Structures are given as structure tokens and as C-alpha cells.
């Protein structure tokens, strides 16, 4: 069943989406089918922006994702450079689709998160990682580089830690992932993981969906820019647009009337 359905999507009536990597016998390793299935799922979630408020990404079995599938790597060794570029572009595009989802996205990491698995973590808004998880950018140990995941990892942890961990291939645990900004939360066991899921879901449902999407975009628009008049104009226009939106008007009215806004009811 896991090979027939390498990625599962479950969406609750309330709007909680759970995306599960479903190759437990392969530690949820990537191959072309997994990447294509994830891309399709992320496109489905983007198209269902109004019906889904939060997206959880997890792995079945003992690991979140052990990175690249061995059989897939063996096949890639026989590819031409052009074939390898097309293959890698599919992974890069899949990660970008995850990164650009308008909903709050959360990676729930246990066991191993290697290579592309760590890339999934980096591409999500929030990472919740078990303290004893093992994370590694292992590509240099295979004579490769973490090229396709690098934009998301560097944005998450900065260039200094990225250079160190990309070059060394050193493994680290959940607490270290939180220390460097790859994850926001560490948990000791599945009970704590479940509690954190519930906490984050409550936060997502208290927030206006359109405001969440715009807040995520705001970070990309502002990050790295000089703090000058032009940036001030950009941010002023952004908040003015939000204040004039239906969500903005409803949020302010609800606050003044001491009631829940319609998206939180």
C-alpha cells in the first residue's frame, strides 16, 4: 500500500490538513514518485486555500524522511547531466510549492531527517522536532552538494551555519536544530508532539486566513531590504490594504465589540 500511495493527504471538515510521507519500509526516502506526489498534494492545498487553515507534514514509521532513495540514486548515476538537471528541478519546484503555500505549514519531525527530508523541514513555516531526532545535510558524504534545498535552509539558518553544516555533513539533534533556527520547538515524546499540534492548530484558527498568507509574503518582501523610505512606503501600503480588507474590518469590529471574528467561530 505504501508504494501505491507514497504520500497521503487527509483534510478534516474543520480545515486541518495532514500530509503523510507513506513509505515506512524505506524510511520515507524520496524518489521521483514521492516528489511528484508531494507536488500534486501541495497544488491541491493551494487550490483549497479557503478550506484549509493549517498544514501538518509528517512521516509514517520510524523516520520523517531519510533523504534520497538508494534505488533512485543508483538510477541517477546513469543519467546524463541534462536528465539529472530535470530530476533535480522537480525537487526544487516541489519544495518551492511547499514554501509558497498560503496556509501555516508545520513539519513534525521524528527519527531521521536527512538531505531532502531536512529540506522539507526548512521549507515549512514551523518545525516541531523530537529532541532525539537525527538531522543531517549528508550530501558531501556522497560527493554531492545540498543544492536544491539550499535556498530554504540558508533562509532558515543563515549562511554561517549553512556553510558549516553543508561542508561538514555533521549530524545533529532536535535541540541543536532549534538552537540554529531550523526548528522552533523541540518535544520529548509523541504526547508532547500531539500537544504542540493542538496548540499550533488553535493559533492557526484564531488568525485570519488571508492575513496569514499576507504575513508570510511580507517576510519575503521585507527580508534583506534596506530600511529606507521606499521600504516604509511598501509596508505602509501593505497595512493600509489589510485595514481596508474585509478581514481587517471584521477583525477590528470583533475586537471593539468583544466578540470572536467570523474566521474564529
Amino acid at each position: 500500500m505504501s508504494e501505491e500511495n507514497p504520500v497521503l493527504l487527509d483534510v478534516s471538515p474543520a480545515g486541518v490538513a495532514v500530509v503523510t510521507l507513506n513509505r515506512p519500509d524505506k524510511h520515507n526516502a524520496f524518489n521521483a514518485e514521492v516528489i511528484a506526489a508531494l507536488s500534486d498534494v501541495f497544488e491541491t492545498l493551494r487550490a483549497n486555500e479557503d478550506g484549509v487553515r493549517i498544514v501538518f507534514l509528517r512521516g509514517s514509521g520510524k523516520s520523517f524522511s531519510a533523504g534520497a532513495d538508494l534505488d533512485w540514486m543508483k538510477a541517477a548515476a546513469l543519467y546524463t547531466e541534462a536528465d539529472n538537471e530535470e530530476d533535480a528541478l522537480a525537487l526544487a519546484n516541489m519544495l518551492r510549492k511547499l514554501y509558497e503555500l498560503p496556509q501555516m505549514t508545520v513539519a513534525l519531525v521524528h527519527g531521521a531527517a536527512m538531505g531532502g527530508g531536512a529540506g522539507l523541514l526548512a521549507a515549512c513555516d514551523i518545525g516541531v522536532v523530537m529532541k532525539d531526532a537525527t538531522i543531517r545535510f549528508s550530501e558531501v558524504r556522497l560527493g554531492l552538494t545540498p543544492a536544491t534545498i539550499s535556498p530554504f535552509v540558508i533562509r532558515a539558518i543563515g549562511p554561517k551555519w549553512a556553510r558549516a553544516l553543508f561542508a561538514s555533513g555533521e549530524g545533529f539533534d532536535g535541540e541543536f536544530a532549534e538552537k540554529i533556527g531550523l526548528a522552533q520547538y523541540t518535544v520529548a515524546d509523541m504526547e508532547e508532539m500531539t500537544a504542540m499540534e493542538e496548540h499550533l492548530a488553535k493559533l492557526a484558527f484564531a488568525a485570519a486566513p488571508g492575513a496569514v498568507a499576507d504575513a508570510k509574503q511580507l517576510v519575503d518582501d521585507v527580508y534583506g531590504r534596506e530600511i529606507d523610505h521606499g521600504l516604509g512606503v511598501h509596508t505602509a501600503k501593505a497595512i493600509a490594504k489589510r485595514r481596508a480588507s474585509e478581514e481587517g474590518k471584521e477583525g477590528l469590529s470583533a475586537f471593539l465589540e468583544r466578540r470572536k471574528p467570523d474566521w474564529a467561530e
Side-chain angles (χ1 to χ4, degrees):
M1 179 178 179
S2 62
E3 291 300 313
E4 294 177 4
N5 301 284
V7 177
L8 303 177
L9 172 62
D10 179 72
V11 180
S12 75
V16 176
V18 180
V19 180
T20 304
L21 297 167
N22 191 41
R23 302 183 75 211
D25 54 322
K26 300 290 186 179
H27 290 269
N28 301 313
F30 286 6
N31 59 18
E33 289 72 26
V34 171
I35 293 168
L38 283 170
S39 288
D40 289 344
V41 164
F42 297 148
E43 288 178 5
T44 296
L45 291 170
R46 185 171 190 86
N48 195 20
E49 181 175 353
D50 294 335
V52 174
R53 303 283 292 275
I54 187 168
V55 177
F56 291 106
L57 179 61
R58 68 190 329 147
S60 60
K62 296 181 178 180
S63 296
F64 178 70
S65 175
D69 180 272
L70 291 176
D71 291 334
W72 185 43
M73 287 195 290
K74 288 178 183 177
L78 303 176
Y79 289 173
T80 65
E81 185 172 341
D83 289 336
N84 268 301
E85 182 176 342
E86 181 179 354
D87 200 50
L89 185 58
L91 174 58
N93 287 337
M94 179 272 287
L95 290 169
R96 179 176 51 80
K97 289 175 184 179
L98 170 59
Y99 182 80
E100 292 180 349
L101 282 177
Q103 301 94 341
M104 184 188 297
T105 57
V106 183
L108 304 172
V109 178
H110 74 290
M114 305 291 188
L120 287 173
L121 169 59
C124 285
D125 302 322
I126 297 171
V128 182
V129 182
M130 297 283 264
K131 291 181 179 179
D132 63 356
T134 301
I135 305 166
R136 187 191 300 270
F137 304 109
S138 50
E139 287 81 358
V140 291
R141 296 159 69 97
L142 304 173
L144 307 174
T145 61
T148 50
I149 69 172
S150 63
F152 310 99
V153 176
I154 293 169
R155 184 159 294 194
I157 68 176
K160 186 68 173 180
W161 271 120
R163 284 173 69 102
L165 296 172
F166 286 179
S168 68
E170 182 179 9
F172 51 94
D173 61 14
E175 290 185 323
F176 192 81
E178 182 178 352
K179 175 183 176 180
I180 63 175
L182 187 60
Q184 286 80 9
Y185 306 98
T186 51
V187 294
D189 51 36
M190 291 308 298
E191 183 177 353
E192 287 189 9
M193 181 79 82
T194 299
M196 185 56 68
E197 286 181 66
E198 294 172 354
H199 169 68
L200 293 171
K202 288 179 181 178
L203 293 179
F205 281 91
V212 169
D214 283 356
K216 291 174 61 166
Q217 184 60 49
L218 180 65
V219 176
D220 285 341
D221 292 345
V222 171
Y223 180 74
R225 289 184 57 175
E226 182 180 354
I227 301 176
D228 56 11
H229 177 70
L231 183 59
V233 170
H234 178 85
T235 56
K237 287 183 177 179
I239 188 59
K241 183 178 180 180
R242 271 279 115 203
R243 287 173 180 169
S245 70
E246 291 302 315
E247 284 185 348
K249 293 176 181 178
E250 167 62 13
L252 180 58
S253 295
F255 176 77
L256 295 174
E257 296 166 11
R258 297 185 178 182
R259 61 173 175 83
K260 290 183 178 180
D262 55 15
W263 59 78
E265 295 176 354

